[in-house]
Amino acid sequence: MENGDVPEDANEHCPGTLSESAGKADACEGCPNQQACATAPKGPDPDLVAIAERMATVKHKILVLSGKGGVGKSTFSAQLSFALAALDFQVGLLDIDICGPSIPKMLGLEGQDIHQSNLGWSPVYVESNLGVMSIGFMLPNPDEAVIWRGPRKNGLIKQFLKDVYWGELDVLVVDAPPGTSDEHISIVQCLQATGLDGAIIVTTPQQVSLIDVRKEVSFCKKVGVPVLGVVENMSGLAQPLSDFRFAKITETGEQNDVTEWALQYMRDKAPELLNLIALSEVFDSSGGGAAKMCREMGVPFLGKVPLDPQLCRAAEEGRSCFVDQRCTASAPALKSIIEKLLQNQGLSQMAKENGA
């Protein structure tokens, strides 16, 4: 109804919990919710006004979500931000994974501090056009556990949105925790009125992950957040054959390293093999993987990214996978996904204007 929600145990003709007359109207007499309604704050949340003003200088806002933890969501957020910055966009990366902030490490910013100016909190910058904000910068010890209930988490998210001075941004990437909890509801409520472009959902191919991704898609549909697409990460192991280690297993189960022998044998007998990429299915994708799920749920499928040890190393070292030739298996896949995303989001014209 127009004046807000009506509790299930409310009196007949309840004016609604958000109405100015909530708890005060004649219909409220004797209602078990009368005192709570009368004393609850009315009108728009003043923080939302401040957030809208701060976000007015941000052209595009993209959430990165996952149904489960450990699927590579933060790695994708970091590499997406690196890639957009390399295209000369002004990029911000906001880490709202309050209890598990991994973005500072993945951007090579561990040990950095937040500074404050008369304009607000200043992001920590990787490059002049790539700024980062995370609770990880606020912890006195990186091993410190954040044990907060929902309201305190939501308060910090609001503070990030209204107090961080990003300046003019082309894109704000928001790395969210896995699942559909308080942080997700809070970020959607805060950003929806400011022009939230939508969400990218990251998954792995097996059904145990896709079950939760379906819930993530359902969450987005219920709260009105467009699904920009789903990324299937760790879609099989892909690694140059020359990077593998080889072993012989003894009858007692011990491993004897024969890597040097195997590589030398290939150099002598079949050197062309050393230029091949070896592929292996790590997670069971016999159920059709993310592509099939996207067809069934009517959401875009952005593509697959293989499990690439070199990409894992880039994340550990806090660097972009696009700046050298080491991530031969994963970088082209990520680049293709990001190009597709740019087309979907109308950012391609800005990329052309920037000469990218």
Side-chain angles (χ1 to χ4, degrees), residues 5-17 27-28 30-33 37:
D5 295 332
V6 175
E8 291 183 1
D9 56 351
N11 290 351
E12 190 177 2
H13 307 302
C14 170
T17 58
C28 300
C31 177
N33 307 296
C37 289

Side-chain angles (χ1 to χ4, degrees), residues 164-240:
V164 176
Y165 177 68
W166 297 100
E168 297 281 341
L169 283 186
D170 292 310
V171 187
L172 177 65
V173 178
V174 181
D175 184 58
T180 54
S181 55
D182 287 342
E183 294 95 323
H184 305 80
I185 298 169
S186 182
I187 195 72
V188 169
Q189 289 177 338
C190 290
L191 288 183
Q192 225 158 19
T194 72
L196 178 59
D197 291 77
I200 301 168
I201 303 176
V202 181
T203 184
T204 46
Q206 76 275 36
Q207 287 299 316
V208 73
S209 178
L210 293 171
I211 287 170
D212 289 334
V213 171
R214 290 175 180 273
K215 297 183 179 72
E216 203 78 32
V217 173
S218 174
F219 166 81
C220 289
K221 290 180 176 180
K222 285 182 178 179
V223 298
V225 174
V227 177
L228 305 178
V230 175
V231 174
E232 183 177 286
N233 197 25
M234 306 185 196
S235 185
L237 175 66
Q239 186 175 358

Side-chain angles (χ1 to χ4, degrees), residues 65-249:
L65 309 174
S66 69
K68 277 195 178 300
V71 300
K73 169 187 55 60
S74 294
T75 299
F76 180 82
S77 296
Q79 296 303 325
L80 171 63
S81 301
F82 276 130
L84 294 174
L87 292 172
D88 289 331
F89 290 118
Q90 293 292 326
V91 182
L93 175 53
L94 176 60
D95 180 7
I96 63 166
D97 193 344
I98 307 300
C99 295
S102 52
I103 287 298
K105 181 170 183 61
M106 291 187 176
L107 275 291
L109 298 173
E110 281 187 300
Q112 298 292 320
D113 296 319
I114 297 171
H115 299 286
Q116 195 156 4
S117 70
N118 59 337
L119 297 173
W121 289 355
S122 297
V124 179
Y125 284 89
V126 182
E127 303 285 351
S128 60
N129 65 332
L130 175 52
V132 181
M133 182 56 65
S134 169
I135 192 177
F137 299 134
M138 305 167 69
L139 300 177
N141 183 334
D143 297 332
E144 190 80 20
V146 179
I147 309 173
W148 288 3
R149 293 187 184 275
R152 195 171 178 190
K153 292 180 181 178
N154 295 342
L156 181 63
I157 291 171
K158 281 186 176 182
Q159 194 165 10
F160 278 158
L161 293 173
K162 66 187 179 70
D163 289 348
V164 176
Y165 177 68
W166 297 100
E168 297 281 341
L169 283 186
D170 292 310
V171 187
L172 177 65
V173 178
V174 181
D175 184 58
T180 54
S181 55
D182 287 342
E183 294 95 323
H184 305 80
I185 298 169
S186 182
I187 195 72
V188 169
Q189 289 177 338
C190 290
L191 288 183
Q192 225 158 19
T194 72
L196 178 59
D197 291 77
I200 301 168
I201 303 176
V202 181
T203 184
T204 46
Q206 76 275 36
Q207 287 299 316
V208 73
S209 178
L210 293 171
I211 287 170
D212 289 334
V213 171
R214 290 175 180 273
K215 297 183 179 72
E216 203 78 32
V217 173
S218 174
F219 166 81
C220 289
K221 290 180 176 180
K222 285 182 178 179
V223 298
V225 174
V227 177
L228 305 178
V230 175
V231 174
E232 183 177 286
N233 197 25
M234 306 185 196
S235 185
L237 175 66
Q239 186 175 358
L241 191 60
S242 57
D243 287 351
F244 273 86
R245 300 195 65 80
F246 299 87
K248 282 186 176 179
I249 308 298

